[in-house]
Amino acid sequence: MKILVTGFDPFGGDKINPAIEAVKLLPDKVKGAEIIKLEIPTVFNKCAEVVKAAIKKYQPDYVLNVGQAGGRYALTPERIAINIDDGRIPDNDGYQPLGEAIHEDGETAYFTQLPIKAEAKAIREAGIPAEVSNTAGTYVCNHIMYQVQYMRDKEFPNIKAGFIHIPFLPEQVVNRPGVASMSLDDIVKGLTAALGAIVERDGQGDLVAVEGKTH
Amino acid sequence: MKILVTGFDPFGGDKINPAIEAVKLLPDKVKGAEIIKLEIPTVFNKCAEVVKAAIKKYQPDYVLNVGQAGGRYALTPERIAINIDDGRIPDNDGYQPLGEAIHEDGETAYFTQLPIKAEAKAIREAGIPAEVSNTAGTYVCNHIMYQVQYMRDKEFPNIKAGFIHIPFLPEQVVNRPGVASMSLDDIVKGLTAALGAIVERDGQGDLVAVEGKTH
Amino acid sequence: MKILVTGFDPFGGDKINPAIEAVKLLPDKVKGAEIIKLEIPTVFNKCAEVVKAAIKKYQPDYVLNVGQAGGRYALTPERIAINIDDGRIPDNDGYQPLGEAIHEDGETAYFTQLPIKAEAKAIREAGIPAEVSNTAGTYVCNHIMYQVQYMRDKEFPNIKAGFIHIPFLPEQVVNRPGVASMSLDDIVKGLTAALGAIVERDGQGDLVAVEGKTH
Amino acid sequence: MKILVTGFDPFGGDKINPAIEAVKLLPDKVKGAEIIKLEIPTVFNKCAEVVKAAIKKYQPDYVLNVGQAGGRYALTPERIAINIDDGRIPDNDGYQPLGEAIHEDGETAYFTQLPIKAEAKAIREAGIPAEVSNTAGTYVCNHIMYQVQYMRDKEFPNIKAGFIHIPFLPEQVVNRPGVASMSLDDIVKGLTAALGAIVERDGQGDLVAVEGKTH
């Protein structure tokens, strides 16, 4: 089994992005699955081209995109990607879409094929906080999650794909009082646990468990 | 123009639900539009039957569902409803779905037809905090928002519909330290401003403005 | 019985200070006690001169200073004032002390004589969130609380004095996402309840009740 | 130079206390100073006896008490200890004082002799979030900070003493959604940086810098 794991480069004034830093530190094998690591640009559309080329090259069974969600307290496997680009800030190429569809011929949204409840449970069992999230936002993170689902819908039907958001690193919140963070080691430990859950649940779907939100 | 506005009854151990309390206090007319007020039960599916009967009876141009999002700091017009019931707690009939589709033949998600950026702007101009939200959760609030969209998709194509989440009332956080709240008067003022924006933007779609989230 | 209640004027870029706005709206009598209302400047030392002149003029039995604590969720009667001026920002006269004693011959700190647990309980019983706080900060709020205690220590031994911090108003957080607020009506209602508790506990000291913090 | 560093044992239902875990992992020497490590019980008064015996035995130049402040986002050197025991929960011996003085003949409060602004700056320069705090609470943490100051006042005038509060560990927030945490490695790194600042500022007092709070 092959799992392509991507991480974004830094954006929005930060000099570091924990996503790519964590991805680089993942083990090369998790429970027998080969982990292929890929840095992608924080740029609408361009990030999707990079992922598409890697899918063609490596033909992975799974794609897991990883991105920073500054302010979150936990690792958060994402449930759904939605067909909208609505940037609070411009991307690294200076492009800031405001409420545009990603693909006119795409679904309104796609649910992940990854076992998000199993991932969250495995991360917590590794001693790292985790919660299922129901929004990946409307910026580049949701964009790449949607784009990979769209590719799956149109071109690579055998791929299973999803997204995990991760918190800021401690060094990123030194000048952001009252904002949560997580150490790089713990992010790596949590992502590794999530990858383990993906491998173990292969072919079985997700757990049935209480992980929902009242809002 | 007629706008049907619904509010849920109390759930989850609270004796009061600010949603129905606020809806009851809305004016009967907003910028010329007639406001029809409806209490609905915090029960999966049953709430949709009640709304459907009211749509048939009143034939509104717009439907706005209002629900409590305990812990939020602002009024939050919702962008999207997703095809999943995943309850953190049972509903008022004791039913707790865990990850089930609302309608097998429904879309994965539906975007609201309401002008959410215009609503948020109007609420803020009334002096009340507001933000566009990208998740209505996976409980009864998302459920009713999805159900009304599904009815629109299948049966009432001329309706425009959407959802606004509102915070706890101050009296609800007296024993919940560190949780935000908003007074009933301010919720009513904010909802009235949002209804005004809906009327004013009728036929023009939403504003193009920065309201997105990086996650 | 006479209670002198003070509120600060706006500072730090805000055009309004809920402290003086709320104080102005207090009733003239609370449970038989006369309420004397006084606006004071957000200026180190100068605010104390204004209060001192009012104490001499009105000879109140109690002094209650009210100030804004942006970011708090509840009304917070303060337990203690400490002998330090350490400004995160300059005051309204441009003065920014950094770690200086308020009075070289003053105590390190003074506990309030007000019944803070009774105040918090009364506020909550009025449906408004309240918690005892153990820090009034190191800016003008702590300064005036300390100054009045110092006056009591040196000059007006019969006065009982204390402080209540109040949250931002909703209009102040319209552009501060994720920050709690409280309506002016609710602040007035809560302060009135606290004044009632002060009058009722006169001569009896505070309640013995669980209100402490582990940190 | 000798620095006695203490950490509390677990309390309040947690099986682990990051305070003693971090203290155990500190280096034996920091910038030439000898670090003496001591576990103390989360019990009013008893913790003070243990520290007093260690002061007599080791004759340290500095005492640094370390305690957990669940919910904080950063390491927080404490400015002041106050003369009150007011427990939100009982201590590990089941004792829950409610608003009692620690020592009738003690000062109302004692400022730390440690360079808290220099500590916070050094911790941040090590990449770990830190802020000066103005309240150590009213439970066992404030108690031991006060007790050591009282010993200094009455018996060991040459000692300089203070306190640092630390966040929950990630494993402690796995079932506490929306609560910040910090890894044990980062806590150790931050405490080591703070100890370095204590050694370097020895004899010079604290930095003059902006670290104050408006409330």
Side-chain angles (χ1 to χ4, degrees), chain D residues 4 38-41 45-55 151:
Chain D
L4 174 64
L38 182 68
E39 179 164 344
I40 61 176
N45 299 306
K46 201 174 284 184
C47 60
E49 291 165 25
V50 175
V51 174
K52 189 172 200 166
I55 290 175
M151 292 176 209

Side-chain angles (χ1 to χ4, degrees), chain C residues 12-190:
Chain C
D14 278 287
K15 287 174 191 158
I16 195 170
N17 189 325
I20 184 56
E21 299 306 318
V23 168
K24 281 189 222 159
L25 293 173
L26 288 173
D28 294 322
K29 288 252 173 194
V30 174
K31 294 192 188 282
E34 182 185 350
I35 307 300
I36 303 155
K37 304 159 192 178
L38 181 69
E39 179 165 344
I40 60 177
T42 299
V43 177
F44 289 103
N45 299 306
K46 201 174 284 184
C47 60
E49 291 166 26
V50 176
V51 175
K52 190 172 200 167
I55 291 175
K56 284 181 176 164
K57 180 171 174 189
Y58 299 109
Q59 303 203 306
D61 302 283
Y62 286 90
V63 178
L64 176 65
N65 304 115
V66 178
Q68 164 189 298
R72 290 201 186 164
Y73 297 76
L75 298 189
T76 49
E78 294 290 348
R79 189 192 293 267
I80 194 163
I82 66 177
N83 191 5
I84 197 132
D85 284 341
D86 198 14
R88 188 179 54 77
I89 54 173
D91 69 14
N92 282 353
D93 273 4
Y95 173 55
Q96 184 175 18
L98 292 175
E100 299 169 23
I102 300 173
H103 285 290
E104 290 299 339
D105 66 340
E107 299 288 322
T108 301
Y110 296 103
F111 284 117
T112 184
Q113 293 77 40
L114 300 191
I116 48 176
K117 293 182 178 182
E119 291 171 56
K121 184 165 180 279
I123 298 168
R124 288 194 299 258
E125 285 173 358
I128 311 294
E131 284 181 77
V132 167
S133 167
N134 298 302
T135 175
T138 58
Y139 191 54
V140 183
C141 289
N142 172 74
H143 177 91
I144 194 62
M145 184 181 177
Y146 185 91
Q147 287 276 24
V148 178
Q149 291 294 330
Y150 179 84
M151 291 176 210
R152 180 183 183 273
D153 190 21
K154 304 293 187 193
E155 205 170 343
F156 309 116
N158 295 323
I159 279 178
K160 292 173 177 175
F163 196 98
I164 296 183
H165 262 123
I166 63 177
F168 278 134
L169 296 176
E171 66 192 82
Q172 292 179 288
V173 302
V174 155
N175 293 308
R176 289 174 166 120
V179 175
S181 63
M182 187 181 283
S183 77
L184 190 56
D185 281 359
D186 284 342
I187 295 172
V188 171
K189 198 192 294 181

Side-chain angles (χ1 to χ4, degrees), chain D residues 62-81:
Chain D
Y62 286 90
V63 177
L64 176 65
N65 304 117
V66 178
Q68 165 189 299
R72 291 201 185 164
Y73 296 76
L75 298 189
T76 49
E78 295 290 348
R79 190 192 293 266
I80 195 164

